[in-house]
Amino acid sequence: MDLTFWARDLAGSLLAEPLPRRWAHSQGVAARAQSLAGILGDDAELLWAAAMLHDIGYTPSLATTGFHPLDGARYLRDHSAADERLVRLVANHSCALLEAEERGLREELEAEFPILDHAELVDALVYCDMTTTPDGTPTTVDVRLSEILTRYQRDSVVGRFIRRADEDLRTAVYSVEARLILAER
């Protein structure tokens, strides 16, 4: 089965009805991934699938820990034939280790799903997620981070996480933007 069709069908079946805005975001993140195909080569399809599936852990029926990267990755590992690299990308997307630490889940996340040793691919998924609005439209990392902070109280888990992850998220986005500029030359 084609990875992209499988990922779209699975994400749609889990997100479209219960979480239409999250589904729109996931589709937008996947569109961003498609725009990176020229700099990713053989990993372009894997990134696209991870982008489409990165937020499935928000699905109410999957949300066992309340930490969507871990819940989504566990679902993919336990209920699909997903490639291990895909599962690890979903588990660790957008500096998830820092949020896992805020939630007391870092050791679990690291033990079950070690971060993928492929910085360009990890950064590419951060870029796709952090430059897409909740409604699925392209944006800048500055606007996206500001938007996240307006939705969560400063002392909330997500508020603390975003402030801690800010520099790492921006660095990943800027790294991908630099690669895109170099590829255009």
Side-chain angles (χ1 to χ4, degrees):
M1 174 185 271
D2 180 88
L3 182 60
T4 57
F5 288 121
W6 171 80
R8 178 180 290 283
D9 287 349
L10 180 59
S13 72
L14 293 169
L15 294 171
E17 188 177 313
L19 301 169
R21 191 170 188 217
R22 186 69 54 190
W23 173 229
H25 170 71
S26 294
Q27 290 176 87
V29 174
R32 279 294 221 199
Q34 185 65 42
S35 76
L36 301 181
I39 65 169
L40 290 177
D42 293 341
D43 289 323
E45 187 178 59
L46 177 62
L47 175 66
W48 191 92
M52 183 60 70
L53 294 164
H54 80 285
D55 277 352
I56 63 169
Y58 279 115
T59 302
S61 62
L62 305 185
T64 56
T65 68
F67 182 46
H68 77 278
L70 184 57
D71 292 337
R74 283 177 173 168
Y75 178 82
L76 289 172
R77 178 194 62 201
D78 298 342
H79 301 283
S80 76
D83 177 274
E84 179 190 358
R85 295 183 320 145
L86 172 61
V87 176
R88 289 167 61 188
L89 280 168
V90 168
N92 289 286
H93 76 272
S94 300
C95 299
L97 280 176
L98 293 177
E99 186 174 347
E101 190 173 303
E102 290 288 334
R103 295 175 179 275
L105 295 169
R106 183 176 178 128
E107 288 181 17
E108 277 182 67
L109 183 62
E110 284 180 312
E112 290 182 52
F113 306 105
I115 195 161
L116 200 62
D117 187 24
H118 190 321
E120 291 86 8
L121 197 53
V122 171
D123 286 353
L125 186 53
V126 171
Y127 169 86
C128 296
D129 191 19
M130 290 295 122
T131 61
T132 304
T133 69
D135 296 314
T137 59
T139 191
T140 66
V141 66
D142 293 334
V143 171
R144 177 78 164 122
L145 291 171
S146 178
E147 176 275 320
I148 292 169
L149 287 171
T150 63
R151 283 189 286 135
Y152 295 92
Q153 292 184 342
R154 183 171 179 81
D155 292 332
S156 70
V157 169
V158 176
R160 289 189 311 269
F161 153 68
I162 285 296
R163 287 194 323 281
R164 283 184 62 200
D166 184 279
E167 185 177 337
D168 292 337
L169 294 168
R170 288 176 193 276
T171 299
V173 169
Y174 299 153
S175 171
V176 172
E177 289 173 344
R179 289 177 61 210
L180 286 168
I181 290 169
L182 286 174
E184 289 176 5
R185 293 182 181 172

